[in-house]
Amino acid sequence: MNNILLRKQGVALNANLSDNFFKRVWKSRMLYLMFMPCVILLGVFCYYPMYGIVIAFKDFYILQGIMGSPWVGLKHFHELVTSLDFSRVLLNTIIISLYRIAAGLPVPILLALMINEMKDGVYKRFTQTVSYLPHFISWIVVTSLFTQVLSPSSGIVNAIIKAFGFKAIYFMAEPSLFRHVLVFSGIWKEAGWASILYLAVLSQADQEVTEAAIIDGATRMQRIWHINLPYLLPIVSINMILSMGSLLNGGFDQIFNMVNPRVLDVSEIIDTYVYRKGMVDFNYSFSTAVGVFKNVVGVIFVIISQVFISWINKRGGDREIYGLY
């Protein structure tokens, strides 16, 4: 008897919860209606193409289609992990990505701190605008610009080098220097745009704390270190997690436009390798297997970096990385 009563109560409770849920949905129906185009676009362009992942487990032939092509299991993944070419490409991708994170992450933070310390006025707005502009220039134009600036015959950099009595340096064709060119050009192009997020966080800092620190005699560097940087720590942690998630995204647009045969051994990354295997060699199954491998590793890196950074933040005072404190 008690069991019957409990079941009836459970059914009634579930019915009430269901009614309340549909009432809330109906009450906010216009918001859900506005959100529907985003859901449709996400489904059509992000989730529906995932059907093509099965190509990685088949020998894909265009005339036979995806379902008509024969299954080969993990053949392409085995070929992937045993390929010397892929080992070199994977190493290049990791080196370039880690170099970018190590050199590129502090620059927008420092730029945001410097701009934040400027007094409001024309010079501050001009500095912000100039730092943002390179983001809107395509990599084709940026490649042309750096090729001209670093040219061994007519570039301004080599003109200065030759003025001091040294030989001209082929920056764009020297394997030992090309990665530095990649990272520096990326920082130049994106640092100003990335600093917008940090400036937005700094604009929300408690001004009363800053004023109290000034009254107590804190120097500018002390205010930056003890007030501004702690405000930036949560967003820096999140950016670090996202950067680790895209560790195997070496920057296709930049490298595809800047690379040349002389530096291919030190600059070819997974994205350009997939393009070459899929679009040039027409090996669609193998290139899909490479893409699946890259995305799975990216998810693993996100999880590991999130756990690690959360542990560091808690060790530093039980702070959360997703909010200011």
Side-chain angles (χ1 to χ4, degrees):
M1 187 67 180
N2 290 334
N3 291 336
I4 295 174
L5 291 174
L6 288 174
R7 281 198 297 269
K8 288 183 178 179
Q9 290 175 356
V11 171
L13 180 61
N14 289 333
N16 289 333
L17 291 175
S18 178
D19 290 342
N20 290 334
F21 171 76
F22 286 112
K23 286 180 181 178
R24 290 197 302 270
V25 171
W26 180 253
K27 185 177 180 181
S28 305
R29 59 188 180 278
M30 296 307 297
L31 295 177
Y32 284 104
L33 187 62
M34 292 173 61
F35 186 64
M36 281 306 296
C38 299
V39 175
I40 295 171
L41 288 174
L42 190 67
V44 171
F45 292 103
C46 295
Y47 286 96
Y48 177 71
M50 288 184 182
Y51 166 69
I53 290 176
V54 300
I55 295 175
F57 306 95
K58 293 189 168 200
D59 273 337
F60 176 68
Y61 300 100
I62 296 179
L63 296 180
Q64 296 181 10
I66 294 178
M67 297 310 297
S69 300
W71 290 93
V72 293
L74 300 177
K75 168 190 170 183
H76 300 294
F77 291 95
H78 181 267
E79 181 183 350
L80 173 69
V81 298
T82 57
S83 171
L84 294 178
D85 271 352
F86 182 73
S87 301
R88 172 181 57 82
V89 168
L90 179 61
L91 182 62
N92 286 340
T93 306
I94 293 175
I95 290 174
I96 292 173
S97 296
L98 288 177
Y99 189 5
R100 277 192 177 133
I101 293 173
L105 190 64
V107 174
I109 298 173
L110 294 173
L111 182 61
L113 290 171
M114 288 189 290
I115 294 176
N116 186 64
E117 291 300 314
M118 294 180 182
K119 295 181 179 179
D120 290 332
V122 176
Y123 182 68
K124 182 176 181 178
R125 292 193 294 272
F126 174 77
T127 303
Q128 287 178 283
T129 303
V130 169
S131 66
Y132 301 161
L133 282 179
H135 170 77
F136 300 98
I137 303 175
S138 71
W139 275 114
I140 297 174
V141 177
V142 172
T143 299
S144 177
L145 174 64
F146 272 82
T147 301
Q148 293 298 322
V149 170
L150 300 176
S151 171
S153 57
S154 59
I156 185 173
V157 174
N158 274 299
I160 296 172
I161 292 174
K162 288 187 286 188
F164 283 94
F166 298 100
K167 293 182 179 180
I169 301 174
Y170 291 77
F171 288 96
M172 301 295 289
E174 179 58 47
S176 62
L177 298 175
F178 188 72
R179 287 173 179 167
H180 304 303
V181 175
L182 284 177
V183 173
F184 175 78
S185 59
I187 292 173
W188 174 82
K189 187 175 185 297
E190 300 296 341
W193 185 258
S195 68
I196 295 176
L197 185 61
Y198 300 116
L199 282 169
V201 174
L202 290 172
S203 67
Q204 301 300 316
D206 192 345
Q207 295 301 316
E208 293 182 358
V209 176
T210 304
E211 292 171 1
I214 295 173
I215 293 173
D216 289 340
T219 63
R220 177 169 292 182
M221 288 303 299
Q222 288 175 330
R223 297 197 301 271
I224 291 174
W225 183 260
H226 295 287
I227 299 175
N228 292 341
L229 282 178
Y231 266 93
L232 293 178
L233 182 59
I235 197 66
V236 170
S237 300
I238 294 173
N239 278 345
M240 178 64 75
I241 292 172
L242 296 176
S243 298
M244 293 303 295
S246 59
L247 185 67
L248 298 185
N249 294 330
F252 174 81
D253 292 343
Q254 179 188 14
I255 294 179
F256 182 76
N257 285 287
M258 284 191 168
V259 74
N260 59 78
R262 293 192 60 179
V263 296
L264 190 63
D265 287 342
V266 298
S267 62
E268 187 172 31
I269 59 172
I270 291 178
D271 291 337
T272 56
Y273 185 68
V274 169
Y275 173 82
R276 181 164 62 87
K277 286 292 184 180
M279 302 302 294
V280 179
D281 298 341
F282 300 106
N283 194 345
Y284 300 112
S285 296
F286 183 78
S287 61
T288 304
V290 176
V292 171
F293 171 83
K294 186 187 81 169
N295 289 307
V296 170
V297 173
V299 171
I300 293 172
F301 277 145
V302 167
I303 295 172
I304 293 174
S305 59
Q306 182 173 358
V307 171
F308 179 69
I309 293 176
S310 298
W311 178 78
I312 290 177
N313 285 332
K314 289 181 180 180
R315 292 278 293 183
D318 198 25
R319 295 169 173 174
E320 294 293 337
I321 66 173
Y322 298 114
L324 298 176
Y325 34 80

XYZ file of all heavy atoms in Angstrom, residues 88 152 168-179 258-268:
205
model
N 56.743 14.354 -37.613
C 57.385 15.658 -37.809
C 56.370 16.785 -37.759
O 56.601 17.824 -37.122
C 58.112 15.658 -39.165
C 58.661 17.010 -39.592
C 59.343 16.912 -40.949
N 58.459 16.387 -41.975
C 57.571 17.139 -42.635
N 57.443 18.437 -42.338
N 56.810 16.600 -43.574
N 65.824 40.600 -48.078
C 67.282 40.769 -47.975
C 67.844 41.843 -48.903
O 68.950 42.336 -48.689
C 67.821 39.381 -48.358
C 66.745 38.763 -49.181
C 65.448 39.293 -48.638
N 73.231 40.402 -45.117
C 71.756 40.339 -45.108
C 71.288 38.946 -44.681
O 71.950 37.939 -44.951
C 71.206 40.677 -46.482
N 70.155 38.921 -43.975
C 69.600 37.665 -43.459
C 68.305 37.352 -44.200
O 67.426 38.215 -44.334
C 69.327 37.772 -41.946
C 70.621 38.093 -41.195
C 68.712 36.479 -41.417
C 70.410 38.366 -39.714
N 68.170 36.115 -44.663
C 66.959 35.675 -45.357
C 65.969 35.155 -44.313
O 65.866 33.949 -44.083
C 67.293 34.593 -46.379
C 68.099 35.095 -47.555
C 69.453 35.345 -47.440
C 67.487 35.324 -48.786
C 70.193 35.809 -48.520
C 68.218 35.786 -49.872
C 69.576 36.030 -49.727
O 70.295 36.492 -50.798
N 65.271 36.065 -43.658
C 64.380 35.689 -42.549
C 63.294 34.718 -42.996
O 62.995 33.751 -42.306
C 63.722 36.943 -41.964
C 64.647 37.817 -41.182
C 65.253 38.907 -41.777
C 64.920 37.540 -39.855
C 66.110 39.721 -41.052
C 65.769 38.342 -39.122
C 66.379 39.437 -39.725
N 62.686 34.966 -44.146
C 61.552 34.167 -44.602
C 61.966 32.826 -45.198
O 61.109 31.986 -45.466
C 60.739 34.952 -45.641
C 60.195 36.276 -45.135
S 58.972 36.100 -43.815
C 57.588 35.440 -44.726
N 63.261 32.629 -45.432
C 63.727 31.376 -46.036
C 64.764 30.669 -45.178
O 65.361 29.700 -45.626
C 64.301 31.649 -47.424
N 64.954 31.135 -43.954
C 65.920 30.521 -43.051
C 65.174 29.670 -42.016
O 64.439 30.206 -41.190
C 66.738 31.601 -42.335
C 67.776 31.080 -41.351
C 68.778 30.150 -41.993
O 69.295 30.509 -43.082
O 69.022 29.070 -41.427
N 65.338 28.338 -42.055
C 64.572 27.472 -41.133
C 64.751 27.812 -39.660
O 63.809 27.715 -38.881
C 65.121 26.069 -41.449
C 65.600 26.159 -42.858
C 66.145 27.549 -43.015
N 65.944 28.236 -39.263
C 66.185 28.532 -37.846
C 65.513 29.820 -37.385
O 65.362 30.047 -36.179
C 67.692 28.622 -37.586
O 68.276 29.681 -38.339
N 65.094 30.668 -38.321
C 64.482 31.958 -37.976
C 62.997 32.032 -38.310
O 62.298 32.923 -37.817
C 65.206 33.099 -38.711
C 66.687 33.298 -38.374
C 67.281 34.373 -39.267
C 66.869 33.670 -36.909
N 62.529 31.127 -39.135
C 61.167 31.252 -39.646
C 60.120 31.166 -38.543
O 59.114 31.879 -38.571
C 60.897 30.191 -40.705
C 59.584 30.371 -41.413
C 59.404 31.398 -42.312
C 58.522 29.521 -41.155
C 58.202 31.572 -42.967
C 57.313 29.693 -41.797
C 57.146 30.721 -42.706
N 60.315 30.284 -37.557
C 59.346 30.181 -36.464
C 59.265 31.482 -35.672
O 58.183 31.868 -35.219
C 59.718 29.026 -35.535
C 59.445 27.640 -36.120
C 59.994 26.560 -35.234
N 59.723 25.226 -35.772
C 60.300 24.117 -35.340
N 61.212 24.185 -34.370
N 59.999 22.945 -35.872
N 52.464 32.112 -45.491
C 53.865 32.465 -45.273
C 54.848 31.368 -45.662
O 56.011 31.642 -45.932
C 54.089 32.816 -43.797
C 53.591 34.171 -43.385
S 54.177 34.630 -41.734
C 53.753 36.360 -41.705
N 54.400 30.115 -45.672
C 55.326 29.007 -45.848
C 55.884 28.975 -47.262
O 55.253 29.429 -48.222
C 54.622 27.669 -45.504
C 53.655 27.271 -46.615
C 55.631 26.568 -45.249
N 57.097 28.449 -47.388
C 57.728 28.222 -48.685
C 58.527 26.931 -48.593
O 58.801 26.437 -47.488
C 58.618 29.416 -49.087
C 59.717 29.679 -48.077
O 60.729 28.978 -48.048
N 59.521 30.702 -47.244
N 58.890 26.329 -49.723
C 59.530 25.009 -49.689
C 60.791 24.935 -48.833
O 61.102 23.882 -48.275
C 59.852 24.743 -51.166
C 58.841 25.540 -51.917
C 58.614 26.769 -51.104
N 61.520 26.029 -48.676
C 62.778 25.988 -47.931
C 62.572 25.822 -46.436
O 63.463 25.356 -45.729
C 63.598 27.260 -48.207
C 64.113 27.372 -49.631
C 65.129 28.475 -49.769
N 66.288 28.283 -48.921
C 67.329 29.113 -48.889
N 67.352 30.191 -49.677
N 68.350 28.889 -48.088
N 61.398 26.210 -45.940
C 61.142 26.117 -44.493
C 60.022 25.132 -44.183
O 59.506 25.111 -43.075
C 60.796 27.512 -43.916
C 61.967 28.459 -44.053
C 59.557 28.093 -44.601
N 59.651 24.312 -45.152
C 58.517 23.408 -44.969
C 58.764 22.409 -43.842
O 57.847 22.066 -43.100
C 58.239 22.656 -46.275
C 56.939 21.841 -46.329
C 55.736 22.750 -46.203
C 56.866 21.042 -47.630
N 59.999 21.949 -43.677
C 60.293 20.938 -42.656
C 60.072 21.439 -41.241
O 59.804 20.648 -40.329
C 61.745 20.454 -42.800
C 61.944 19.561 -44.013
O 60.922 19.054 -44.531
O 63.091 19.383 -44.453
N 60.188 22.748 -41.003
C 60.038 23.287 -39.651
C 58.737 24.052 -39.474
O 58.467 24.557 -38.382
C 61.225 24.219 -39.289
C 62.533 23.458 -39.299
C 61.282 25.423 -40.232
N 57.926 24.148 -40.531
C 56.726 24.983 -40.439
C 55.433 24.268 -40.798
O 54.348 24.806 -40.546
C 56.874 26.208 -41.349
O 57.012 25.814 -42.696
N 55.510 23.075 -41.382
C 54.270 22.385 -41.733
C 53.585 21.889 -40.475
O 54.188 21.217 -39.633
C 54.533 21.209 -42.670
C 53.243 20.588 -43.183
C 53.466 19.550 -44.258
O 54.506 18.881 -44.233
O 52.582 19.418 -45.118
